[in-house]
Amino acid sequence: MSAVCGGPARTLRVPGRHGYAAEFSPYLPGRLACATAQHYGIAGCGTLLILDPDESGLRLFRSFDWNDGLFDVTWSENNEHVLITCSGDGSLQLWDTAKAAGPLQVYKEHTQEVYSVDWSQTRGEQLVVSGSWDQTVKLWDPTVGKSLCTFRGHESIIYSTIWSPHIPGCFASASGDQTLRIWDVKAAGVRIVIPAHQAEILSCDWCKYSENLLVTGAVDCSLRGWDLRNVRQPVFELLGHTYAIRRVKFSPFHASVLASCSYDFTVRFWNFSKPDFLLETVEHHTEFTCGLDFSLQSPTQVADCSWDETINIYDPACLTVPA
């Protein structure tokens, strides 16, 4: 079903910029970072947008331009002003929203597009992972100018790299080689290889409430849940999207709720513990929908962005009513 949002969406249109990733600040309520690219990321430059909600919708707080498309963004976990983006030229960029110019630092080691970047969430470590079309994952300490380690093993493009919110030094990656892989920084190698789909996997995420549960989203239009204690078969499969799933996120507030966005232009909300697992379909975009995030401060708030040049913050109806 196509449900109406629980309240009016705050929308900002950014002409000539196609949205790839949207991430809420872990510090400032409502602040949103959006990584964008010109010409659908095929050519041209990129812009990092920092947005704040206001009475009329969304206002632009700061924007930073880069000379190639920006495909992902992650906020620092120890400084409310700092974030990192990744780009089509193989580089990562470190930005400071307190400064009008930037970037503060550029990390250039990947030899092809970098599609994913994520800042670790466990206490006591400030590490970043990046995943690239060059089939490698790189580990970074943002205070050091070069990578700490390079992880090899994937046999195709790496689309997604996500830290475990529970286990220090542990991250997951998803690839065009149809596998989900779990890596251990301390061992500098892969722990588990899961042949998760018979199609390219464009996204993965960790459950915030279980250290053993992950979800994958793939070109086969399916979402699959994986329990790391037994990976022979998925613990759930969610069907409904009609084109490739571009991004999937677990809710930080509801243990069995997740959201996905797709090349079918929709954002869908799911509860994998219910027989009727599809909670809501939001259809407010007119192009590929690539960026998606849950607010860390508000249990009902979600952001998304699309190739239709719009960015939305809204409260889907399914999150505003009792589960």
Side-chain angles (χ1 to χ4, degrees):
M1 73 170 184
S2 299
V4 178
C5 294
R10 301 173 186 270
T11 301
L12 183 70
R13 186 165 185 268
V14 190
R17 293 294 182 272
H18 303 113
Y20 265 88
E23 294 285 323
F24 278 108
S25 165
Y27 293 99
L28 301 175
R31 176 160 287 186
L32 185 73
C34 187
T36 72
Q38 276 186 309
H39 308 302
Y40 307 97
I42 298 165
C45 66
T47 304
L48 170 63
L49 305 168
I50 310 298
L51 310 175
D52 287 322
D54 63 12
E55 302 76 34
S56 61
L58 287 174
R59 68 176 180 88
L60 183 63
F61 170 74
R62 187 95 68 207
S63 69
F64 300 101
D65 290 327
W66 186 245
N67 56 18
D68 210 318
L70 297 178
F71 295 140
D72 201 9
V73 59
T74 185
W75 288 92
S76 165
E77 293 290 334
N78 68 350
N79 184 326
E80 68 184 46
H81 302 295
V82 171
L83 15 66
I84 290 181
T85 51
C86 60
S87 172
D89 63 6
S91 69
L92 281 63
Q93 305 80 30
L94 181 76
W95 310 91
D96 186 336
T97 62
K99 297 177 171 61
L104 299 185
Q105 191 154 358
V106 177
Y107 312 92
K108 176 72 171 77
E109 290 187 26
H110 285 294
T111 58
Q112 290 179 265
E113 291 93 330
V114 187
Y115 239 47
S116 177
V117 63
D118 194 38
W119 199 298
S120 60
Q121 297 178 22
T122 52
R123 294 182 187 276
E125 60 182 15
Q126 297 297 327
L127 299 171
V128 171
V129 285
S130 59
S132 170
W133 288 28
D134 67 13
Q135 305 183 15
T136 71
V137 177
K138 287 185 179 286
L139 176 72
W140 310 84
D141 175 342
T143 64
V144 177
K146 63 180 189 298
S147 65
L148 305 178
C149 187
T150 300
F151 297 85
R152 292 179 172 86
H154 277 298
E155 296 169 10
S156 184
I157 290 169
I158 297 168
Y159 289 108
S160 182
T161 48
I162 305 288
W163 288 102
S164 167
H166 312 279
I167 308 164
C170 178
F171 66 89
S173 61
S175 168
D177 68 11
Q178 309 180 358
T179 67
L180 171 70
R181 296 181 187 229
I182 313 300
W183 306 81
D184 182 356
V185 167
K186 293 182 242 6
V190 69
R191 280 178 49 205
I192 305 171
V193 179
I194 303 166
H197 297 259
Q198 289 184 303
E200 289 196 294
I201 307 169
L202 304 186
S203 185
C204 63
D205 197 29
W206 293 81
C207 179
K208 310 301 186 283
Y209 292 84
S210 168
E211 66 178 36
N212 293 304
L213 184 62
L214 292 95
V215 65
T216 50
V219 172
D220 63 11
C221 309
S222 75
L223 295 158
R224 291 180 178 175
W226 301 96
D227 186 326
L228 297 182
R229 294 165 296 189
N230 183 358
V231 298
R232 282 196 298 267
Q233 57 193 29
V235 290
F236 63 80
E237 183 174 53
L238 308 175
L239 302 174
H241 280 295
T242 55
Y243 284 94
I245 294 164
R246 181 60 179 81
R247 201 174 296 268
V248 58
K249 292 280 183 81
F250 274 105
S251 166
F253 290 97
H254 308 279
S256 56
V257 170
L258 51 90
S260 55
C261 64
S262 166
Y263 292 163
D264 66 14
F265 307 172
T266 70
V267 179
R268 296 178 192 239
F269 295 87
W270 316 80
N271 186 330
F272 63 81
S273 69
K274 293 191 170 186
D276 297 325
F277 43 75
L278 180 60
L279 300 177
E280 185 174 348
T281 301
V282 174
E283 298 180 295
H284 55 201
H285 286 294
T286 57
E287 253 293 358
F288 288 179
T289 306
C290 296
L292 175 65
D293 199 22
F294 286 95
S295 167
L296 297 169
Q297 276 94 9
S298 167
T300 62
Q301 196 172 72
V302 176
D304 62 40
C305 65
S306 166
W307 283 10
D308 64 12
E309 307 176 344
T310 65
I311 303 161
N312 296 307
I313 294 181
Y314 56 103
D315 298 271
C318 65
L319 301 183
T320 61
V321 297

